[in-house]
Structure formats: C-alpha cells, structure tokens
Amino acid sequence: MAASKPLTALDGDPMAVETLLRDVFGIVVDEAIRKGTSASEKVCEWKEPEELKRLLDLELQSQGESQERILERCRDVIHYSVKTGHPRFFNQLFSGLDPHALAGRIITESLNTSQYTYEIAPVFVLMEEEVLKKLRALVGWTSGDGVFCPGGSISNMYAMNLARYQRYPDCKQRGLRALPPLALFTSKECHYSISKGAAFLGLGTDSVRVIKADERGKMIPEDLERQISLAEAEGSVPFLVSATSGTTVLGAFDPLDAIADVCQRHGLWLHVDAAWGGSVLLSRTHRHLLHGIQRADSVAWNPHKLLGAGLQCSALLLRDTSNLLKRCHGSQASYLFQQDKFYDVALDTGDKVVQCGRRVDCLKLWLMWKAQGGQGLERRIDQAFALTRYLVEEIKKREGFELVMEPEFVNVCFWFVPPSLRGKKESPDYSKRLSQVAPVLKERMVKKGSMMIGYQPHGTRANFFRMVVANPTLTQADVDFLLCELECLGQDL
C-alpha cells in the first residue's frame, strides 16, 4: 500500500489550519463575545428573510472559496444573528454568556466525541456521572440514575416512556397492543412537550388529562384527585402525573408535596418538570419553592436556563436504582457494547438512551461549577430574585405599567398601557386594543435592535410582556433601560 500523507481541510497544511482557527476565534471574541455582550451594541440586526438570504449568499456551490471570504462569512453569520448573551436580550428562558461554560463548549466541540462508551469518552463518562450525582443530591436523593438529554422536552418524554415501561414492561417488545388505554395528568400551565410526548410515544394527546390551575398558575391537587377517579371510571389506567416547577409564562411552582400525596395514594409515577425552576435548588433562600421534590420519581432540569450553562444542558434525573433506563431503552448492539471488553462495561452508558451518538453536555456545567463553586452559583440565583424585586417595584412606580400578578419567581409579567388607553379600562374594546400593543412594540424594538422581550396572551388576558431575569450580568441600569425603552417606543400609541 502506498504511504498516505495526512490531509487537512486546507491542503494538508497544519499551519494554515491553525491560522484559520486563530482568525476565527479572534472574530468570535470580537463580534460574538465583546460586541455581543455590550449594552452599547445592538441585540440584533433585523433583516427580512429575502434580504437576509441575499446578504448571506446561502446557496452551496461546487467550487470552494478563499479563506478571506470564509472569514467574511463568519463575521456575517455573527453580525446578523441575535446576540443572546446581550444584557438586553430578555426574550427566552436562557440568556447571558458564561465564559467558563463557553470554554467547556469549545473544548467539547474540538474533541468531537460521542458520549456512549468509556472507550472513546473516558473523561466525559466519569464527569457526567459526577455532575448527575451532584444534581441528584440537590434534589434530595442519595442514589439514583440519570442522563443528559437534548433538551427539556426530550427529558419529559423520557420520563413518560420510563413510567410506562415500569408499569407495562411488555410494551418494549409488544408495543401499544400490550397496553390498556392509559391516562397521564398535568396542569393546564404545563409545557407543551407533555402533549407532544404523548403523541410521539403513541399514547395520543387524548391520554393527557389537563388539571385545573389556580389564579397563580399552580396545579390544584383536589382537581387532580377528581380527574384520576374520572379517568378510572371511564376505563383508562392512570400511570403518571407531571408537575411543573417553574411554568414557562407565569413562573409558577406546583405544590409538590400535596401532588406527591395523591400519587402515593394511587400508585402513580411522579415526574417534575423543573427544566426552568430546578436551578432554584442551589439557593438556600428560595429552594422552598420546590419543597417535596425529593418525593418525585423523575426530575427534568435545564442548567442551560437559569444557571447559564449554555445550550444545551438538560438533565433527566431518576430516583430509580434498578437500571430502569437501560432496561427500558437498551438493545445491546454487539458492535458497540461488547460484553468482553478489557474494562468495566458498566461504564458504557450509551445503551441507557434512545440515541446512539450523543453529544457531551456535562463539561460546560462542570467547568462553570468548578470556577464558580456552589456558593457562586447560589449568589447568581439570589441575585436574579433580588433584581426581579427591583423590577417589580419600579413597575409599580411608573404610569402606564401594570403587573399581571406578583411574581414568585424571575418571570415578571406585565402590561404596558400606552397613553391612549390609560383610564379607559371600562371601554368595551379595551382588551382588544391592549392586545395590539405588545406586538407593535415588539416589532419596533427588534427592528431598532435595542432589546428583545417576549409577549403572549394567557387565557382571557390580553397580550402582555414576560420579562425573564436570568442573565447573571444584568444590572438595575438594564432594568431601567427596559422600562424607559418601552415608554419611548410606545409614546405615540
């Protein structure tokens, strides 16, 4: 065989590769990090889709381009992207840019391994288990299992699948024909992934029984009890309750202890979707919001949200110690999970999950935790709550701002009532006209590039803004800017 010379993407020139990557990293630091996190820069550079396609020249050609052009393209990609690390990006449940987490993400991408066997990911197999162990301890468990999933929606779907398998293990082989009509229960404020998961798993969305919530968005345990009895009377078999700790819009925390009592009486799996609110467990001051979570069978927790670990970092935690994950999902692929390896094959965790290839999501959280320590992360959570209180008090002081409700978390929901609608709440078209305000202001702020904040209707409530206080670099000045900018953008409405 002729000797082969290692080739790189740049004609076998390792120096050219290094030069390219240094140049790209320079652009990233300058454009995405320095400018992307500066309050003096725009949050976004809005372009209509057709114009953006033209500016980016998206079509893929048969001929390659010069490195100078590639670097220009890197700058363009960053320039026209939304800067989610910007202090005026309030649009989602994630924001900010933690440098240690980013360092972990860079290392992860550079190593490009898959987290399925100790053979090819020894560092990360051990690291993932240590991180999951720490998260389980914060829930209140001394043992258990878990896995990092590609997002909180998938974590919730895993929990549903595990609960079904535990009750009807034959369904792994025999499928839906092994099952009676099943029923699962969740609040009307739950994340939409619960109904999506029911559809995806073949349960059907009709199997999801929606439990009433109170005026603050918390599940009502008495209605849960009633709905379980109703489902049984209709011939369905209840198997799971999904509670929420930190609902998406209102930031509500379901009463977990009372819900756990209901689950215990009926022998149901209790899953807690704490994708948003789970990080509050790090705060000794505020962790009471999740009182009773230790009684859950499974917990979904997204450190990429309030902790700022970076997308994506989503853990599914289990109290189970019977290897339920592997029994439910394992298929013993002999080319990957050989049982006669020279090391402990229990370290090959890939058969626990539905995926084969699985990205490393533990390093960014581990490195950030090593740098900040648990105390530093606790301060981050407490600071978010403190800044939330500041925002609430400022809203109360200003004409034209009205709280939807007093928040118990870092979701601050409010209306901006423009001058033309003030004092006209009794008008028959008030709600309709108020609903039109938030979309107009959203368009104006995005096209100006000054900030981004989400809005939505809720039940009978007209469109209102949902401010998310999550970015650890946020200051009172940023909060003041938010309110002043809304006043500026809406003064003519």
Side-chain angles (χ1 to χ4, degrees):
M1 184 188 301
S4 60
K5 182 180 179 181
L7 294 178
T8 68
L10 295 174
D11 300 323
D13 184 351
M15 289 302 296
V17 172
E18 182 176 332
T19 298
L20 169 69
L21 293 177
R22 287 187 183 277
D23 288 342
V24 170
F25 287 146
I27 291 170
V28 169
V29 170
D30 185 45
E31 300 290 335
I33 300 175
R34 185 178 64 79
K35 292 182 182 178
T37 60
S38 172
S40 64
E41 300 284 340
K42 288 185 176 182
V43 177
C44 58
E45 188 70 47
W46 174 260
K47 300 294 178 185
E48 294 295 334
E50 289 306 315
E51 183 184 4
L52 187 57
K53 287 179 185 178
R54 180 179 56 78
L55 288 167
L56 295 175
D57 184 23
L58 293 174
E59 186 178 353
L60 298 173
Q61 306 288 351
S62 59
Q63 295 296 317
E65 297 179 334
S66 69
Q67 294 309 309
E68 290 75 15
R69 185 71 184 102
I70 293 300
L71 293 175
E72 289 175 13
R73 293 196 180 281
C74 291
R75 285 189 183 276
D76 288 343
V77 165
I78 297 172
H79 180 69
Y80 293 112
S81 291
V82 175
K83 311 306 187 294
T84 63
H86 196 286
R88 276 79 186 267
F89 177 82
F90 314 119
N91 210 67
Q92 313 301 141
L93 299 181
F94 65 89
S95 62
L97 186 65
D98 183 280
H100 298 100
L102 178 59
R105 289 149 71 189
I106 291 170
I107 294 170
T108 294
E109 294 301 317
S110 301
L111 290 173
N112 191 40
T113 195
S114 180
Q115 181 120 17
Y116 42 43
T117 65
Y118 184 80
E119 184 176 342
I120 69 161
V123 171
F124 301 126
V125 165
L126 299 179
M127 183 182 292
E128 180 178 61
E129 180 47 45
E130 188 61 33
V131 172
L132 291 170
K133 178 182 175 183
K134 185 67 174 180
L135 297 181
R136 288 195 301 266
L138 286 165
V139 169
W141 300 333
T142 56
S143 59
D145 203 351
V147 67
F148 278 94
C149 297
S153 293
I154 302 299
S155 297
N156 289 338
M157 292 181 196
Y158 266 76
M160 295 163 67
N161 199 40
L162 290 165
R164 179 174 67 175
Y165 174 82
Q166 185 196 52
R167 196 175 186 104
Y168 297 102
D170 282 355
C171 72
K172 179 177 179 179
Q173 180 175 349
R174 298 185 58 227
L176 298 180
R177 67 181 184 275
L179 301 172
L182 297 179
L184 63 102
F185 306 84
T186 192
S187 130
K188 73 182 188 71
E189 297 292 324
C190 76
H191 191 260
Y192 65 86
S193 60
I194 303 301
S195 60
K196 277 198 171 189
F200 184 75
L201 293 170
L203 297 167
T205 56
D206 285 350
S207 68
V208 180
R209 305 294 179 108
V210 179
I211 310 304
K212 292 178 183 177
D214 65 18
E215 69 282 354
R216 297 196 56 82
K218 299 171 181 286
M219 184 190 292
I220 300 174
E222 294 78 11
D223 192 55
L224 172 62
E225 187 84 61
R226 184 185 69 82
Q227 291 261 27
I228 291 171
S229 298
L230 180 61
E232 290 174 333
E234 292 174 353
S236 293
V237 179
F239 77 106
L240 173 139
V241 174
S242 180
T244 310
S245 288
T247 59
T248 304
V249 177
L250 300 179
F253 288 78
D254 286 342
L256 299 181
D257 246 344
I259 293 170
D261 288 342
V262 176
C263 290
Q264 188 172 331
R265 280 195 295 274
H266 292 273
L268 305 182
W269 181 291
L270 174 57
H271 173 64
V272 177
D273 176 5
W276 177 216
S279 297
V280 179
L281 289 169
L282 282 150
S283 169
R284 288 166 292 183
T285 303
H286 301 287
R287 64 172 289 132
H288 65 87
L289 292 169
L290 295 99
H291 181 71
I293 195 171
Q294 74 283 356
R295 299 177 65 186
D297 295 286
S298 56
V299 173
W301 179 352
N302 286 6
H304 72 237
K305 290 182 175 172
L306 192 54
L307 283 185
L311 290 164
Q312 59 196 15
C313 191
S314 304
L316 173 69
L317 309 173
L318 298 176
R319 186 151 51 102
D320 172 80
T321 57
S322 71
N323 215 11
L324 182 66
L325 268 170
K326 189 171 183 179
R327 288 188 289 118
C328 180
H329 300 130
S331 61
Q332 298 86 45
S334 60
Y335 70 90
L336 194 58
F337 304 114
Q338 303 93 336
Q339 296 303 295
D340 54 358
K341 291 184 178 181
F342 60 93
Y343 59 84
D344 182 1
V345 295
L347 294 166
D348 290 352
T349 56
D351 222 14
K352 290 181 178 182
V353 297
V354 174
Q355 300 163 260
C356 178
R358 184 164 67 93
R359 62 172 291 130
V360 174
D361 286 329
C362 59
L363 175 58
K364 52 200 161 199
L365 178 57
W366 180 86
L367 202 60
M368 182 178 73
W369 206 307
K370 281 288 190 182
Q372 297 281 340
Q375 293 179 347
L377 296 178
E378 180 180 22
R379 285 193 296 271
R380 184 173 287 186
I381 303 303
D382 290 344
Q383 178 184 323
F385 274 88
L387 203 54
T388 298
R389 287 314 313 165
Y390 175 79
L391 172 58
V392 168
E393 295 309 314
E394 287 300 307
I395 284 175
K396 291 176 180 178
K397 293 177 187 176
R398 298 199 183 210
E399 183 183 10
F401 289 87
E402 182 183 343
L403 284 171
V404 174
M405 64 177 61
E406 284 280 344
E408 67 174 342
F409 194 22
V410 296
N411 305 41
V412 182
C413 299
F414 65 92
W415 288 283
F416 174 73
V417 183
S420 66
L421 289 179
R422 291 172 195 170
K424 298 183 179 178
K425 193 173 281 190
E426 302 307 317
S427 298
D429 62 346
Y430 177 82
S431 181
K432 179 181 178 182
R433 291 173 64 191
L434 184 60
S435 272
Q436 296 168 351
V437 173
V440 171
L441 295 183
K442 179 64 176 281
E443 179 181 1
R444 290 180 178 183
M445 69 179 73
V446 169
K447 289 185 174 179
K448 183 179 177 182
S450 59
M451 64 182 186
M452 291 183 72
I453 179 172
Y455 72 88
Q456 62 285 301
H458 186 268
T460 60
R461 295 183 178 107
N463 279 326
F464 57 83
F465 288 111
R466 180 200 62 174
M467 166 66 178
V468 179
V469 183
N471 189 333
T473 66
L474 277 184
T475 65
Q476 290 184 359
D478 296 312
V479 170
D480 293 340
F481 176 86
L482 162 75
L483 300 177
C484 291
E485 183 69 359
L486 286 174
E487 288 174 330
C488 178
L489 293 170
Q491 62 184 348
D492 64 332
L493 296 180

